[in-house]
Amino acid sequence: MSKDIWISDILAGKYDGSEVEVKGWIYRSRGSNKIRFIVVRDSTGNIQCVAKRDVLGDVFFDELKSSLIESSVILKGIVQSTDREHGHELQVLSGEIIGPVNPERPFPITESAMAEADGGETEFLLDNRHLYLRTSRMTTMLKIRSSVFGAVHSYFRDRDFIEYQAPNFVAGAVEGGSTLFEVPYFGRKAYLTQSWQLYAEAAMPALERLYTIAPSFRAEKSRTRRHLTEFWHAEMEIAWASNNEVMKHGERLVRHISSTVLEERSDELSSLGRDLDLISQYADNPYPIIRYDEAIETLQGKGIDVEWGQDLDYSKEKILTADFEVPHFLTHYPRIAKPFYHRPDPEDPKYVLCHDLLAPEGYGEIIGGGERTWSEAEILERIDEEGTPREPYEFYIDTRRYGGVPHGGFGMGVDRVCTWLSGAEHIREVIPFPRDSRRVTP
Ligand code: 4AD
Ligand code: MG
C-alpha cells in the first residue's frame, strides 16, 4: 500500500476537478445525519471532506459518522475548489476506515482534558507526548527541526568536513564532573559523554576537518527553559585553526541555518507567529564580537550582581542578550571559568582563547568553543592545575605527544537553536521526547 497524493498538493490546486484518494487521520467531524464535514489531516496539511448519505449509502456513511477523531481513513472523491476556509474540498464518493478509534478510549488530548488535568496542561501534554506529536504545533516544530539538522549537514559537507562518530560511553568528563551521568559498566564506572570533542581531537590529525551531530548527556539537576539531560549536539573540530577562524565557522553555520529555515520553513515559522524579518537579520548581518570583560562591565552597569571570573549563567545571558539584534560572540573568558582543554591566551594567560555565541531576544548561549591547548607541556599543566586525574585522558594527551598542531572547534546545541529560531518558550517544545531530571517517559 503506498500513498501518492499529499494534502498540500491538493490545497495547491494540483488536482482540481480530479478524482483522488486521500489517506490520513480524522482531525474534526461535524454535520448532520445526512451530510458530514470531515477534516482529514496528513503530514502536509488538512482538507475538508464532504460526505453525503445519499452518495455513500447508509453503511459507510454511518461508519464514517461514528468514527472518532484520529481514526485513520482512506477517502476517495473529487477535488473541488471553493471559496471557503481551506480553498479546496473533497466530495467523497467512497472510502474505508483503516484504524478505528475505540469509543471507550477516545483521543485523550482535548481542550477540556487539558483544562481539567490535575498536574496542569504542560504535564498532561508531556504525559501524552506520543500523541501530542500529531498536533499541528508539534508537527510544525519537528519540520523546522529537520531543516536545522539538514542545514548543519549541508554546511559542513559543502566544505569537505568528514562526518565522524565518537563513543557515547566514556571514562572521563569533558565539561566538568558535576553534570556527569554515571553508568554501571561491568563492575567499573563509565559515564555518558557530555561532548564528542576529546575523541574528535584524537581524529583531528587524521581527518583535519570533522563534524558530527549526536546526542550529548548532562545530569542537569535544575530544570530550566534551555537545559535537557539528553540534547543534540552539533560539533566540529578543525586542524591549523585559531579561535577567530573557528568563530567564523560558527557564524557562517548559524547564518546558513537561518537562511535555510527561511527558505524551507517560512510557512511553518509564520504559523508560529515568528517575525520572518528577524530571521532574515540573523541570516544576513554579521555577528559582533565582544570580550568577556566588556560583557561584565555592561552587566555591572545595569546594576547586576556579577563578579569577574564567573561563567555567565542563563539569568545573566538573558539580560545581556535582550537588546541584541543578532547573535553576539563573547570571547576571552577567564581561565578559571573554563575546562582544561581551553588554550590560555599567550598575550595574557589570565584568559583563554574561547568563545560562546549568544542568541538574541534573551535566548543566550547556543555555541561554546575555542582554540585547544595543543602542546604536551601546556595540556599537562592545565590538567594538573584543575586537579583532574591524568589517567582517563592519556589518549588525549597522546594527541599532543605525536605531532600536536594548533586546532580548535565548537559545539552547538541544536535544540537550543531550534528553540530560538522558532521563538519557543521552552526547549522541550522542539524535541520529540524531552528528557529532564524528572522525566524519562513516555
Ligand atoms: O558549552 P558546552 O558545554 O561546550 C562543549 O561541550 C564543548 N566540548 C563543545 C566543543 O567545543 N566541541 O556545550 C556546547 C553547547 C552549548 O553552547 C549549548 O548550546 C549546548 O551545547 N548545551 C545544551 N543544550 C541543551 N541542554 C543542555 N543541558 C546543554 N548543555 C550544553
Ligand atoms: Mg558553554
Side-chain angles (χ1 to χ4, degrees), residues 175 218 311-312 317 333 338-339 341-342 355-356 365-369 411 416:
E175 298 299 325
R218 309 239 174 138
D311 206 357
L312 298 180
E317 285 182 5
Y333 280 67
K338 291 287 177 185
Y341 62 75
H342 288 284
H355 60 270
D356 279 4
E365 181 187 344
I366 50 175
I367 280 182
R416 285 194 186 174

Side-chain angles (χ1 to χ4, degrees), residues 109 114 120-130 132 135:
I109 302 179
M114 285 192 291
E121 178 178 326
T122 303
E123 288 301 310
F124 172 79
L125 290 177
L126 285 167
D127 287 339
N128 287 289
R129 191 69 169 191
H130 52 298
Y132 184 54
T135 61

Side-chain angles (χ1 to χ4, degrees), residues 175 195 197 218 220 228 233 235 365-367 372 411 413:
E175 298 299 325
S195 161
Q197 179 193 326
R218 309 239 174 138
E220 309 278 1
L228 296 164
H233 208 168
E235 297 184 83
E365 181 187 344
I366 50 175
I367 280 182
R372 316 305 188 193

Side-chain angles (χ1 to χ4, degrees), residues 260-278:
T260 303
V261 296
L262 264 184
E263 212 175 285
E264 297 179 2
R265 300 295 170 200
S266 56
D267 287 350
E268 283 82 1
L269 290 166
S270 302
S271 79
L272 295 171
R274 200 69 175 123
D275 178 354
L276 298 184
D277 287 341
L278 278 182

Side-chain angles (χ1 to χ4, degrees), residues 116-401:
E116 286 159 21
D118 280 345
E121 178 178 326
T122 303
E123 288 301 310
F124 172 79
L125 290 177
L126 285 167
D127 287 339
N128 287 289
R129 191 69 169 191
H130 52 298
L131 300 174
Y132 184 54
L133 293 184
R134 311 172 178 209
T135 61
S136 67
R137 187 173 171 86
M138 263 325 287
T139 308
T140 299
M141 291 297 188
L142 295 179
K143 288 178 182 174
I144 294 170
R145 182 178 173 91
S146 169
S147 289
V148 171
F149 274 69
V152 172
H153 286 293
S154 63
Y155 177 84
F156 286 116
R157 284 169 176 263
D158 287 350
R159 286 162 186 78
D160 292 328
F161 279 69
I162 304 292
E163 187 175 0
Y164 164 85
Q165 290 80 28
N168 286 323
F169 285 126
V170 295
V174 191
E175 298 299 325
S178 69
T179 63
L180 267 183
F181 267 116
E182 193 178 306
V183 280
Y185 200 82
F186 306 105
R188 272 174 296 161
K189 274 186 204 168
Y191 306 101
L192 294 179
T193 196
Q194 297 166 310
S195 161
W196 156 101
Q197 179 193 326
L198 304 192
Y199 289 88
E201 287 186 64
M204 174 276 297
L207 300 172
E208 297 185 293
R209 289 166 289 182
L210 49 157
Y211 85 100
T212 198
I213 309 185
S216 280
F217 304 89
R218 309 239 174 138
E220 309 278 1
K221 278 148 215 117
S222 56
R223 298 164 78 232
T224 76
R225 286 177 53 184
R226 63 173 194 171
H227 286 96
L228 296 164
T229 51
E230 175 181 350
F231 68 97
W232 285 80
H233 208 168
E235 297 184 83
M236 68 85 93
E237 199 66 32
I238 182 168
W240 318 104
S242 66
N243 190 40
N244 276 327
E245 288 158 324
V246 174
M247 262 194 297
K248 279 265 169 292
H249 277 293
E251 172 174 350
R252 290 193 202 114
L253 170 64
V254 174
R255 288 171 63 175
H256 174 68
I257 294 170
S258 306
S259 63
T260 303
V261 296
L262 264 184
E263 212 175 285
E264 297 179 2
R265 300 295 170 200
S266 56
D267 287 350
E268 283 82 1
L269 290 166
S270 302
S271 79
L272 295 171
R274 200 69 175 123
D275 178 354
L276 298 184
D277 287 341
L278 278 182
I279 318 257
S280 300
Q281 288 179 38
Y282 307 152
D284 297 341
N285 295 338
Y287 298 174
I289 301 173
I290 49 181
R291 285 182 68 117
Y292 169 91
D293 284 4
E294 294 170 63
I296 295 293
E297 274 170 35
T298 307
L299 285 168
Q300 286 170 342
K302 289 179 189 275
I304 309 299
D305 180 24
V306 56
E307 267 174 51
W308 188 93
Q310 290 177 336
D311 206 357
L312 298 180
D313 64 13
Y314 179 46
S315 64
K316 294 178 187 94
E317 285 182 5
K318 192 175 167 177
I319 296 161
L320 193 64
T321 62
D323 308 328
F324 287 180
E325 303 215 315
V326 290
H328 282 48
F329 284 103
L330 230 60
T331 63
H332 298 83
Y333 280 67
R335 172 184 188 137
I336 46 168
K338 291 287 177 185
F340 66 80
Y341 62 75
H342 288 284
R343 180 170 179 224
D345 183 355
E347 283 175 20
D348 186 349
K350 271 208 314 286
Y351 300 95
V352 284
L353 296 172
C354 73
H355 60 270
D356 279 4
L357 181 63
L358 308 185
E361 304 176 68
Y363 281 94
E365 181 187 344
I366 50 175
I367 280 182
E371 235 173 284
R372 316 305 188 193
T373 306
W374 61 270
S375 74
E376 183 187 359
E378 221 172 18
I379 196 79
L380 291 176
E381 181 194 331
R382 290 279 283 145
I383 288 180
D384 294 347
E385 99 187 3
E386 214 184 71
T388 302
R390 289 184 184 186
E391 202 268 313
Y393 301 101
E394 277 301 326
F395 80 93
Y396 186 69
I397 301 163
D398 267 356
T399 311
R400 280 81 180 152
R401 290 188 180 117

